[in-house]
Amino acid sequence: MQQNSPSAVVIGDALIDEIHDAGGVRELVGGAALNVAVGLRRLGVPTTLIAMVGDDEAGAHIREYLSDHQVQLIESVAPHGSSRAVVQRDANGEPTYVFNEAAQRRSIRYGEEARQALQAADLAVISCFPFDVPGEVDAVADALAGVRVAIDPNPRSGMLSDRDEFVRGFERLVAGAAIVKVGADDAALLYDGDLTKLRVRLRALGAEAVLATAGSDGAVLESDAGLLEAPIATLPGPIVDTVGAGDATLSAVAEGLVGARPEVAGEWQKLLDRAMDVAAATCRAEGGLLRTPESLDAGDRGVRGS
């Protein structure tokens, strides 16, 4: 009898990005967790997203987008409708976000369908989760009992209500995590800004591996196999949009962990280098939709993310 391919479940946010810039106003389906879920699926991993989606027009767009990308959605009730982020870009293209009430008060519940999906998955990925709400952390910790986990805290200042509580909630889940991804922005918003010190802290808390990304300075991955580094990848064409680069990095790393258990330095280095290539390709088009160098060669360059 043929066995099913190893699968992943992603827990976190799904929303509409309402983008305002010199080109006008437009809407893209987004959210860090949604981007990771779609990215994993584009990399060939059967993936389910557990997220809060409203019964409204925005929710219909989110559901259609996930269906188009063959990502299964397990919904939590959204009493305040679908989440939305108003994104303003400055002259350098850097975004600032203002989140609606639904995004700020997001909540996820884990019914029987969600728990079955988690127990069947080879990896669960958490991104942009409300770690500053103790009840949410209690619920996800219970649902994830015995499940292999990858974590990206991905805090957003516009959704962060209590920094100290967020750190406590996030660090509750770090021990035993297969990998924890953090970036320079996370270190600045949650800690003292020292990304190296944060990486060491997370390893000491029990993370099996820590991936620390620093934008144009590349990334460092630390595990029992040692400390590995990778610069940002160089690809043809201009950088169009850095939004989604971190999500693409996490997707590529998670894809390398589904059905696999890297142990030696060479296996981790291959995974890290591939993640840098995927992140660079994703930056060659607008929106958070994951691209690979191969997809760009096949004509995917410049196609929007929704």
PDB file of all heavy atoms in Angstrom, residues 246-269:
ATOM      1  N   GLY A 246      11.505  36.631   4.681  1.00  0.00           N
ATOM      2  CA  GLY A 246      11.645  35.828   5.888  1.00  0.00           C
ATOM      3  C   GLY A 246      10.737  34.615   5.882  1.00  0.00           C
ATOM      4  O   GLY A 246      11.129  33.523   6.318  1.00  0.00           O
ATOM      5  N   ASP A 247       9.508  34.801   5.374  1.00  0.00           N
ATOM      6  CA  ASP A 247       8.571  33.682   5.286  1.00  0.00           C
ATOM      7  C   ASP A 247       9.082  32.632   4.301  1.00  0.00           C
ATOM      8  O   ASP A 247       8.957  31.426   4.539  1.00  0.00           O
ATOM      9  CB  ASP A 247       7.189  34.173   4.840  1.00  0.00           C
ATOM     10  CG  ASP A 247       6.612  35.205   5.789  1.00  0.00           C
ATOM     11  OD1 ASP A 247       6.966  35.177   6.985  1.00  0.00           O
ATOM     12  OD2 ASP A 247       5.810  36.042   5.331  1.00  0.00           O
ATOM     13  N   ALA A 248       9.662  33.099   3.194  1.00  0.00           N
ATOM     14  CA  ALA A 248      10.219  32.164   2.212  1.00  0.00           C
ATOM     15  C   ALA A 248      11.390  31.394   2.803  1.00  0.00           C
ATOM     16  O   ALA A 248      11.545  30.185   2.556  1.00  0.00           O
ATOM     17  CB  ALA A 248      10.650  32.924   0.961  1.00  0.00           C
ATOM     18  N   THR A 249      12.216  32.081   3.586  1.00  0.00           N
ATOM     19  CA  THR A 249      13.340  31.411   4.248  1.00  0.00           C
ATOM     20  C   THR A 249      12.836  30.313   5.171  1.00  0.00           C
ATOM     21  O   THR A 249      13.345  29.180   5.161  1.00  0.00           O
ATOM     22  CB  THR A 249      14.165  32.434   5.048  1.00  0.00           C
ATOM     23  OG1 THR A 249      14.637  33.459   4.173  1.00  0.00           O
ATOM     24  CG2 THR A 249      15.344  31.761   5.726  1.00  0.00           C
ATOM     25  N   LEU A 250      11.827  30.646   5.973  1.00  0.00           N
ATOM     26  CA  LEU A 250      11.269  29.654   6.885  1.00  0.00           C
ATOM     27  C   LEU A 250      10.645  28.493   6.119  1.00  0.00           C
ATOM     28  O   LEU A 250      10.804  27.327   6.510  1.00  0.00           O
ATOM     29  CB  LEU A 250      10.228  30.306   7.792  1.00  0.00           C
ATOM     30  CG  LEU A 250       9.547  29.395   8.814  1.00  0.00           C
ATOM     31  CD1 LEU A 250      10.563  28.742   9.738  1.00  0.00           C
ATOM     32  CD2 LEU A 250       8.517  30.176   9.627  1.00  0.00           C
ATOM     33  N   SER A 251       9.941  28.780   5.036  1.00  0.00           N
ATOM     34  CA  SER A 251       9.341  27.715   4.229  1.00  0.00           C
ATOM     35  C   SER A 251      10.409  26.753   3.711  1.00  0.00           C
ATOM     36  O   SER A 251      10.245  25.522   3.765  1.00  0.00           O
ATOM     37  CB  SER A 251       8.583  28.311   3.040  1.00  0.00           C
ATOM     38  OG  SER A 251       7.516  29.132   3.447  1.00  0.00           O
ATOM     39  N   ALA A 252      11.496  27.310   3.197  1.00  0.00           N
ATOM     40  CA  ALA A 252      12.541  26.478   2.613  1.00  0.00           C
ATOM     41  C   ALA A 252      13.235  25.638   3.682  1.00  0.00           C
ATOM     42  O   ALA A 252      13.553  24.460   3.460  1.00  0.00           O
ATOM     43  CB  ALA A 252      13.555  27.346   1.879  1.00  0.00           C
ATOM     44  N   VAL A 253      13.471  26.231   4.851  1.00  0.00           N
ATOM     45  CA  VAL A 253      14.080  25.475   5.941  1.00  0.00           C
ATOM     46  C   VAL A 253      13.127  24.371   6.406  1.00  0.00           C
ATOM     47  O   VAL A 253      13.529  23.218   6.596  1.00  0.00           O
ATOM     48  CB  VAL A 253      14.442  26.405   7.108  1.00  0.00           C
ATOM     49  CG1 VAL A 253      14.839  25.594   8.337  1.00  0.00           C
ATOM     50  CG2 VAL A 253      15.570  27.333   6.712  1.00  0.00           C
ATOM     51  N   ALA A 254      11.854  24.729   6.578  1.00  0.00           N
ATOM     52  CA  ALA A 254      10.868  23.740   7.027  1.00  0.00           C
ATOM     53  C   ALA A 254      10.735  22.608   6.011  1.00  0.00           C
ATOM     54  O   ALA A 254      10.616  21.434   6.393  1.00  0.00           O
ATOM     55  CB  ALA A 254       9.524  24.418   7.261  1.00  0.00           C
ATOM     56  N   GLU A 255      10.754  22.940   4.724  1.00  0.00           N
ATOM     57  CA  GLU A 255      10.661  21.894   3.690  1.00  0.00           C
ATOM     58  C   GLU A 255      11.815  20.902   3.823  1.00  0.00           C
ATOM     59  O   GLU A 255      11.643  19.689   3.629  1.00  0.00           O
ATOM     60  CB  GLU A 255      10.688  22.547   2.305  1.00  0.00           C
ATOM     61  CG  GLU A 255      10.461  21.586   1.150  1.00  0.00           C
ATOM     62  CD  GLU A 255      11.739  21.029   0.559  1.00  0.00           C
ATOM     63  OE1 GLU A 255      12.791  21.698   0.719  1.00  0.00           O
ATOM     64  OE2 GLU A 255      11.702  19.940  -0.052  1.00  0.00           O
ATOM     65  N   GLY A 256      12.988  21.413   4.215  1.00  0.00           N
ATOM     66  CA  GLY A 256      14.136  20.540   4.399  1.00  0.00           C
ATOM     67  C   GLY A 256      14.078  19.694   5.655  1.00  0.00           C
ATOM     68  O   GLY A 256      14.879  18.771   5.812  1.00  0.00           O
ATOM     69  N   LEU A 257      13.125  20.007   6.536  1.00  0.00           N
ATOM     70  CA  LEU A 257      12.966  19.232   7.772  1.00  0.00           C
ATOM     71  C   LEU A 257      11.823  18.234   7.697  1.00  0.00           C
ATOM     72  O   LEU A 257      11.746  17.322   8.520  1.00  0.00           O
ATOM     73  CB  LEU A 257      12.724  20.184   8.950  1.00  0.00           C
ATOM     74  CG  LEU A 257      13.861  21.133   9.309  1.00  0.00           C
ATOM     75  CD1 LEU A 257      13.446  22.046  10.451  1.00  0.00           C
ATOM     76  CD2 LEU A 257      15.116  20.375   9.669  1.00  0.00           C
ATOM     77  N   VAL A 258      10.909  18.431   6.750  1.00  0.00           N
ATOM     78  CA  VAL A 258       9.776  17.510   6.623  1.00  0.00           C
ATOM     79  C   VAL A 258      10.271  16.199   6.025  1.00  0.00           C
ATOM     80  O   VAL A 258      10.790  16.160   4.912  1.00  0.00           O
ATOM     81  CB  VAL A 258       8.664  18.121   5.739  1.00  0.00           C
ATOM     82  CG1 VAL A 258       7.555  17.083   5.500  1.00  0.00           C
ATOM     83  CG2 VAL A 258       8.086  19.360   6.388  1.00  0.00           C
ATOM     84  N   GLY A 259      10.134  15.142   6.784  1.00  0.00           N
ATOM     85  CA  GLY A 259      10.595  13.844   6.324  1.00  0.00           C
ATOM     86  C   GLY A 259      12.092  13.661   6.406  1.00  0.00           C
ATOM     87  O   GLY A 259      12.628  12.674   5.890  1.00  0.00           O
ATOM     88  N   ALA A 260      12.782  14.617   7.055  1.00  0.00           N
ATOM     89  CA  ALA A 260      14.239  14.539   7.154  1.00  0.00           C
ATOM     90  C   ALA A 260      14.681  15.006   8.533  1.00  0.00           C
ATOM     91  O   ALA A 260      13.997  15.782   9.198  1.00  0.00           O
ATOM     92  CB  ALA A 260      14.901  15.392   6.079  1.00  0.00           C
ATOM     93  N   ARG A 261      15.854  14.535   8.950  1.00  0.00           N
ATOM     94  CA  ARG A 261      16.427  14.916  10.237  1.00  0.00           C
ATOM     95  C   ARG A 261      17.896  15.252  10.024  1.00  0.00           C
ATOM     96  O   ARG A 261      18.773  14.399  10.192  1.00  0.00           O
ATOM     97  CB  ARG A 261      16.293  13.778  11.267  1.00  0.00           C
ATOM     98  CG  ARG A 261      14.879  13.273  11.521  1.00  0.00           C
ATOM     99  CD  ARG A 261      14.025  14.319  12.201  1.00  0.00           C
ATOM    100  NE  ARG A 261      12.739  13.785  12.660  1.00  0.00           N
ATOM    101  CZ  ARG A 261      11.651  13.722  11.901  1.00  0.00           C
ATOM    102  NH1 ARG A 261      11.697  14.112  10.636  1.00  0.00           N
ATOM    103  NH2 ARG A 261      10.509  13.257  12.401  1.00  0.00           N
ATOM    104  N   PRO A 262      18.198  16.487   9.586  1.00  0.00           N
ATOM    105  CA  PRO A 262      19.609  16.843   9.367  1.00  0.00           C
ATOM    106  C   PRO A 262      20.422  16.641  10.646  1.00  0.00           C
ATOM    107  O   PRO A 262      19.967  16.989  11.739  1.00  0.00           O
ATOM    108  CB  PRO A 262      19.546  18.323   8.986  1.00  0.00           C
ATOM    109  CG  PRO A 262      18.135  18.552   8.536  1.00  0.00           C
ATOM    110  CD  PRO A 262      17.295  17.620   9.336  1.00  0.00           C
ATOM    111  N   GLU A 263      21.618  16.110  10.490  1.00  0.00           N
ATOM    112  CA  GLU A 263      22.473  15.864  11.646  1.00  0.00           C
ATOM    113  C   GLU A 263      23.877  16.431  11.454  1.00  0.00           C
ATOM    114  O   GLU A 263      24.411  17.079  12.353  1.00  0.00           O
ATOM    115  CB  GLU A 263      22.550  14.362  11.943  1.00  0.00           C
ATOM    116  CG  GLU A 263      21.224  13.765  12.400  1.00  0.00           C
ATOM    117  CD  GLU A 263      21.345  12.282  12.717  1.00  0.00           C
ATOM    118  OE1 GLU A 263      22.458  11.723  12.500  1.00  0.00           O
ATOM    119  OE2 GLU A 263      20.359  11.690  13.188  1.00  0.00           O
ATOM    120  N   VAL A 264      24.465  16.202  10.291  1.00  0.00           N
ATOM    121  CA  VAL A 264      25.838  16.645  10.079  1.00  0.00           C
ATOM    122  C   VAL A 264      25.849  18.029   9.449  1.00  0.00           C
ATOM    123  O   VAL A 264      24.854  18.501   8.889  1.00  0.00           O
ATOM    124  CB  VAL A 264      26.607  15.650   9.194  1.00  0.00           C
ATOM    125  CG1 VAL A 264      26.626  14.278   9.849  1.00  0.00           C
ATOM    126  CG2 VAL A 264      25.992  15.571   7.797  1.00  0.00           C
ATOM    127  N   ALA A 265      26.986  18.697   9.532  1.00  0.00           N
ATOM    128  CA  ALA A 265      27.099  20.087   9.070  1.00  0.00           C
ATOM    129  C   ALA A 265      26.747  20.226   7.589  1.00  0.00           C
ATOM    130  O   ALA A 265      26.096  21.192   7.188  1.00  0.00           O
ATOM    131  CB  ALA A 265      28.516  20.592   9.330  1.00  0.00           C
ATOM    132  N   GLY A 266      27.163  19.263   6.777  1.00  0.00           N
ATOM    133  CA  GLY A 266      26.896  19.370   5.346  1.00  0.00           C
ATOM    134  C   GLY A 266      25.414  19.373   5.022  1.00  0.00           C
ATOM    135  O   GLY A 266      24.973  20.091   4.110  1.00  0.00           O
ATOM    136  N   GLU A 267      24.633  18.585   5.762  1.00  0.00           N
ATOM    137  CA  GLU A 267      23.179  18.556   5.540  1.00  0.00           C
ATOM    138  C   GLU A 267      22.546  19.892   5.927  1.00  0.00           C
ATOM    139  O   GLU A 267      21.684  20.413   5.208  1.00  0.00           O
ATOM    140  CB  GLU A 267      22.560  17.422   6.353  1.00  0.00           C
ATOM    141  CG  GLU A 267      22.975  16.039   5.879  1.00  0.00           C
ATOM    142  CD  GLU A 267      22.527  14.926   6.821  1.00  0.00           C
ATOM    143  OE1 GLU A 267      22.241  15.213   8.011  1.00  0.00           O
ATOM    144  OE2 GLU A 267      22.459  13.773   6.368  1.00  0.00           O
ATOM    145  N   TRP A 268      22.963  20.451   7.044  1.00  0.00           N
ATOM    146  CA  TRP A 268      22.436  21.754   7.462  1.00  0.00           C
ATOM    147  C   TRP A 268      22.865  22.860   6.497  1.00  0.00           C
ATOM    148  O   TRP A 268      22.082  23.766   6.187  1.00  0.00           O
ATOM    149  CB  TRP A 268      22.908  22.090   8.871  1.00  0.00           C
ATOM    150  CG  TRP A 268      22.174  21.408   9.970  1.00  0.00           C
ATOM    151  CD1 TRP A 268      22.653  20.451  10.827  1.00  0.00           C
ATOM    152  CD2 TRP A 268      20.809  21.621  10.361  1.00  0.00           C
ATOM    153  NE1 TRP A 268      21.685  20.065  11.715  1.00  0.00           N
ATOM    154  CE2 TRP A 268      20.535  20.770  11.455  1.00  0.00           C
ATOM    155  CE3 TRP A 268      19.786  22.452   9.894  1.00  0.00           C
ATOM    156  CZ2 TRP A 268      19.302  20.721  12.093  1.00  0.00           C
ATOM    157  CZ3 TRP A 268      18.543  22.421  10.519  1.00  0.00           C
ATOM    158  CH2 TRP A 268      18.308  21.563  11.602  1.00  0.00           C
ATOM    159  N   GLN A 269      24.111  22.800   6.024  1.00  0.00           N
ATOM    160  CA  GLN A 269      24.593  23.840   5.107  1.00  0.00           C
ATOM    161  C   GLN A 269      23.813  23.820   3.801  1.00  0.00           C
ATOM    162  O   GLN A 269      23.466  24.881   3.255  1.00  0.00           O
ATOM    163  CB  GLN A 269      26.081  23.640   4.813  1.00  0.00           C
ATOM    164  CG  GLN A 269      26.717  24.792   4.022  1.00  0.00           C
ATOM    165  CD  GLN A 269      26.819  26.071   4.829  1.00  0.00           C
ATOM    166  OE1 GLN A 269      27.454  26.082   5.873  1.00  0.00           O
ATOM    167  NE2 GLN A 269      26.198  27.149   4.351  1.00  0.00           N
TER     168      GLN A 269
END
